Amino acid sequence: MFIWILLAISLITIIYFFIKASYHKHVLKISFRNIFRIKRESFLMILGSMVGTAFIIGSLGMNDSFKNYIYKSVDIFFGEIDEVINSKVGIDYNNIDPFIKELKEKDLIDGVIPIYFKLYPVTKKGNIQGLKISELAQASIVGMDYELIKSFGEEKINIPLEFFKLKDNEAIITKRLAERLKISEGDYIEIITGASPINILFPKRFKVIKIINSKGVLNYRGLDANNGIGTVFITLKAGQKISKIANNKYYQILISNKGNFITGNKLTNTIKDLYTKYNIEGEFVPVKNNQIKAVDRGGVSYIFLALSLFAIVSGGVLIINMYSMLVAERKKELGVLRAIGFKKKDIRNIIFYESIFYTIFSIPFGIFTGLLISRFTFSKVTALFKSLSSFENIIGEIPLIDSYYISPNSIIIGIAVGILLPLTITFWYSYSIGKLNIVNAIKDLEEEKKKNKFEKYKYAIENAFAVIVFIIAILLKIDSLIILGIKSFLILIFAIMITTFNLKYIEIFLLNIIKLKGKFVPILKIAFSYPMRNRKRTGAIITLYGMVIFIIVILTILPYIQQEQLKSSRDTLFAGFDGVVVEMPTNLFPVKIDEEEFRNVNGINSVGEFYFLKAKNKEKEDYALVFGSKEFFTQNKLKIKESVKEFKNLSDKEIWLKVYNNPEYAIIPERLTDPKYGYNFKLGETYTAYIPKQSFGPNQNETITGTITFKIVAITSKISESLAMGPVMSINNKNIEKYKKDAIHGFFFSMGPKYKTDVEKYLKSKNQFYIFVDDLLDLGLKASQGMVSIFNSFLYFGLMVGIIGIAITMMKSVNERRRVVGMLKAIGFTKNMVFLSFFIEATIIIILGIIIGVSSGTFTSYLIFTKLFADSGAVFKIPYGSLSLMSLTFYLISVIFIYLPSKAASKLSPNEAMRSLD
């Protein structure tokens, strides 16, 4: 509603002024004809006016596309499912029935489905007997009363009739699972429901009667939307028979809130409050809310909204600069109009109506350019997600962002802001125009300003204010992304202000530092003097360049640091080994990796094993215990930062070997010694780890089954991801024996660089979960580079703001200094000298903007780094090559736009240029 009100205000404003102007047609005609006097300038004015509209629509378009992706992801996996009540042992429906009745009475829900849900290995008939273990796939097995789907949710689902005719020995499966198992309708699937020989030799067999391409409740794959390759639908009776669960018990209860699949999510907190009142034995999971948070990790949508704000600010600065120059250029003719009887109100309206015409002409271009910008940036997003989809074995299934979307509301907001922003600025600015002194305006003299008592302290006050802004920025503590954004913005503002307030001294410095002889002396003096003594205009252009480059520099340096850290972290990821194979604690699969067989795989250099145990301290905080074989202790590349006194003179390798030979010793990562991570382990101290029953996932068993005591003898340097994620002990520790059956077991290995395909083929044949360190590095690099490409593709368009600003400045400068150019030529300046004076003038402004953007962006990057990345072990590095290339590219692009105005100035005839209204 607010958006339509905003648009209505914009349109009514324009209509009102045109109706008002119809009573003063001569004013309207002058304004309209002024637009077409100099076509090149008119084009740039329209271009400048449309920038705000374009970037607001562009950023909102990206935000809409990303939100559409979030909603699409939710729709695919959950649809109308808002909450799930989950239990590993089963929920008696009689116990939950009063809760459901209250929800219905209060009209909070529009559907409840109790389901049998469990993950099991599934394969095509015959694969188990043929020992084709690689053909097994983890899938969600779902059994329910399918009649309940008809009344589930606001948007009722039309499910295939086969669901209602389903027999106990039949199944319906999803398309992705069918493709994975190479199954067609009429084929049989087998489900392994346990680890016993009976379950493996005689799996549950079902005939596939239909393959569906589904979403929502028919694509439900568990609480995190990523359990298994797909779904197998069976009857409720068959599901209960498989799990041997009582008739009135269910593993999960699916709940649909009132409203559609997005708005219904708003009732989750109310339903949760009611749930806690009933003390039901089960876990309340707000699945839809969790999925939205998971997909929007990092607040990408907020970043694009921040870029919208950047577009508004930069567009406002550009418009102010454009119209201030427009007034300066028209000063004489406006003075003449006043002299022949035009009222102050008429003078104001001439400029204001001209801005309305520019705005009206710019809106269509703004909409088109905004859509183009967001489309182009969106293509980068699509490319990133396509590249990440190849890492599904590491990060799970990623719904592909391949649907560009922009809402009509976003276009309306862009149009409304594109109208109101320039009109508001010019309306305010037009009031100062009406106060022109007629004589001074005709003679092109500056207005006399009244001096106040603070005038002589102006310079000191301005610089003191800039310093205060900087001090505030430094003292601000980064507690959130918003504070980080404010801190960064204040640093940029300080850099712009301190430069703008001291332009006069920069001029003196440049004239003293660049000492040339002959004709270059007057060229440089004129080139330096004009921009340095026109602070407002120069400051505006510097601001436009500085803002864009500032953000680009930050988005260049920080990802560069991450990428360099990733490249150098190969020796810390997986402790320097090339890969890891993880066997989850289950005997379900009949074939496991034999260590000797693995060693003999082509390309394998060394193999070691490890066990991973979940442990708790006295405060019941979780951490990991890692037990490694001799290969881990003798071949890892982890650096020792600190050790106990008796180990001080030993090398890193000797310390690792000591720990291996003394099973009660442990080495811990530095992270576990830092209280801010929730731990406070100390070197030389002895600790007792309480070992709970080893269960993983929801509803973990917290029963303590034993203890393991260890002494910390060394600390490794900061590690983000590694096999050494907790206290590391020797596999010879006698206490590990009784936990081996339930612990996570795996192998780490080193291999030749050309044998990855052979090793991967072997591991796939064993149906094991494995990760190669190079894949993990490649994933990190692609994700980092992809995000930089997305934001920079948007921001490079933002450079248009600065380029348009400098182009307009140069063109207006040529017009308002025609007489000056004529005088210079009359006293002996050649064409080249005039050209160089204008060209160097623009170059100085551009370079100052680039220097401010690069320096403030680099300093801000360092502050962000010290706060967010210092604990990761990364080193602050500046990509000098990238920054230099970026700065040079920006300069060369800008030069193209300043060449023509500079050339036009050099071609002015002295006679023509010296003509005056005097």
Side-chain angles (χ1 to χ4, degrees), residues 601-662:
V601 173
N602 191 29
I604 291 291
N605 296 330
S606 64
V607 175
E609 66 175 328
F610 68 88
Y611 286 92
F612 173 97
L613 279 177
K614 186 175 66 176
K616 290 180 176 292
N617 59 15
K618 287 182 179 179
E619 290 74 30
K620 296 185 178 181
E621 294 166 331
D622 291 327
Y623 62 95
L625 291 179
V626 181
F627 299 85
S629 64
K630 187 173 183 179
E631 290 84 357
F632 179 85
F633 286 85
T634 57
Q635 297 177 27
N636 80 70
K637 297 178 182 178
L638 302 177
K639 303 295 181 184
I640 301 294
K641 180 184 179 182
E642 192 177 357
S643 61
V644 291
K645 288 182 180 179
E646 54 265 40
F647 291 174
K648 289 293 181 185
N649 297 321
L650 300 180
S651 67
D652 286 2
K653 286 189 176 181
E654 289 172 330
I655 292 173
W656 281 107
L657 194 58
K658 279 271 188 185
V659 173
Y660 176 74
N661 292 326
N662 293 273

Side-chain angles (χ1 to χ4, degrees), residues 291-493:
Q291 179 72 358
I292 291 172
K293 287 178 180 177
V295 175
D296 195 21
R297 278 193 300 262
V300 177
S301 57
Y302 292 108
I303 294 174
F304 284 110
L305 285 174
L307 292 177
S308 301
L309 181 62
F310 151 76
I312 293 171
V313 173
S314 57
V317 172
L318 178 59
I319 289 166
I320 290 172
N321 196 43
M322 285 193 312
Y323 285 101
S324 67
M325 296 184 69
L326 181 67
V327 171
E329 181 188 344
R330 304 270 168 83
K331 190 175 179 181
K332 282 186 181 182
E333 59 191 71
L334 293 175
V336 172
L337 291 174
R338 283 282 285 124
I340 62 175
F342 272 62
K343 298 176 182 178
K344 289 183 178 181
K345 184 173 65 174
D346 295 331
I347 298 299
R348 288 199 301 266
N349 287 339
I350 287 173
I351 296 296
F352 185 68
Y353 293 151
E354 188 172 342
S355 74
I356 291 177
F357 283 122
Y358 282 132
T359 301
I360 292 171
F361 292 147
S362 69
I363 291 296
F365 294 105
I367 295 171
F368 175 77
T369 308
L371 293 174
L372 185 68
I373 290 171
S374 56
R375 272 275 186 184
F376 177 77
T377 309
F378 181 76
S379 68
K380 299 286 184 182
V381 177
T382 302
L384 170 62
F385 275 74
K386 278 183 179 177
S387 67
L388 294 182
S389 63
S390 59
F391 297 97
E392 284 190 359
N393 64 310
I394 299 174
I395 56 179
E397 183 181 0
I398 303 175
L400 186 63
I401 302 183
D402 57 357
S403 178
Y404 172 77
Y405 172 77
I406 182 167
S407 69
N409 286 348
S410 293
I411 297 175
I412 291 169
I413 290 172
I415 293 171
V417 176
I419 292 172
L420 292 177
L421 180 65
L423 294 189
T424 303
I425 291 170
T426 51
F427 185 78
W428 168 77
Y429 210 87
S430 66
Y431 269 87
S432 64
I433 299 167
K435 298 176 183 178
L436 286 174
N437 181 286
I438 298 173
V439 176
N440 289 342
I442 294 173
K443 290 187 174 183
D444 200 15
L445 299 175
E446 287 192 18
E447 299 290 326
E448 289 186 16
K449 294 180 180 178
K450 292 181 180 180
K451 292 186 178 181
N452 56 51
K453 58 183 179 180
F454 296 108
E455 192 68 30
K456 60 181 178 179
Y457 304 113
K458 184 180 178 182
Y459 173 75
I461 293 171
E462 288 174 339
N463 282 278
F465 179 72
V467 171
I468 290 170
V469 169
F470 180 72
I471 292 171
I472 292 171
I474 296 299
L475 294 178
L476 272 178
K477 291 184 178 180
I478 304 174
D479 298 323
S480 66
L481 286 173
I482 295 173
I483 299 297
L484 177 59
I486 293 171
K487 189 183 186 87
S488 303
F489 183 70
L490 288 177
I491 291 170
L492 174 62
I493 292 298

Side-chain angles (χ1 to χ4, degrees), residues 253-268:
I253 310 293
L254 310 183
I255 299 174
S256 170
N257 299 349
K258 279 285 184 180
N260 62 31
F261 83 99
I262 291 299
T263 57
N265 187 46
K266 295 176 183 177
L267 296 173
T268 294

Side-chain angles (χ1 to χ4, degrees), residues 270-284:
T270 305
I271 293 173
K272 185 178 181 181
D273 291 339
L274 288 173
Y275 175 82
T276 55
K277 185 176 76 173
Y278 281 91
N279 196 27
I280 297 166
E281 290 185 4
E283 180 187 13
F284 182 90

Side-chain angles (χ1 to χ4, degrees), residues 519-650:
K519 64 180 181 180
F520 288 104
V521 175
I523 292 172
L524 290 177
K525 282 188 176 181
I526 292 171
F528 291 162
S529 297
Y530 266 93
M532 301 308 168
R533 295 183 185 184
N534 195 332
R535 294 199 319 176
K536 287 184 180 179
R537 187 177 301 174
T538 303
I541 301 300
I542 288 172
T543 301
L544 295 175
Y545 270 88
M547 284 178 68
V548 178
I549 294 172
F550 170 79
I551 298 173
I552 292 176
V553 166
I554 293 174
L555 291 176
T556 300
I557 292 178
L558 295 180
Y560 172 77
I561 292 170
Q562 286 184 309
Q563 290 164 15
E564 288 300 302
Q565 183 192 11
L566 279 171
K567 290 174 184 176
S568 63
S569 65
R570 199 180 189 283
D571 290 344
T572 57
L573 286 166
F574 301 157
F577 296 96
D578 293 317
V580 172
V581 185
V582 180
E583 295 175 350
M584 295 306 289
T586 173
N587 294 319
L588 187 60
F589 301 118
V591 179
K592 289 197 172 190
I593 288 183
D594 178 82
E595 188 172 346
E596 281 304 312
E597 182 185 50
F598 192 20
R599 288 180 189 276
N600 293 324
V601 173
N602 191 29
I604 291 291
N605 296 330
S606 64
V607 175
E609 66 175 328
F610 68 88
Y611 286 92
F612 173 97
L613 279 177
K614 186 175 66 176
K616 290 180 176 292
N617 59 15
K618 287 182 179 179
E619 290 74 30
K620 296 185 178 181
E621 294 166 331
D622 291 327
Y623 62 95
L625 291 179
V626 181
F627 299 85
S629 64
K630 187 173 183 179
E631 290 84 357
F632 179 85
F633 286 85
T634 57
Q635 297 177 27
N636 80 70
K637 297 178 182 178
L638 302 177
K639 303 295 181 184
I640 301 294
K641 180 184 179 182
E642 192 177 357
S643 61
V644 291
K645 288 182 180 179
E646 54 265 40
F647 291 174
K648 289 293 181 185
N649 297 321
L650 300 180

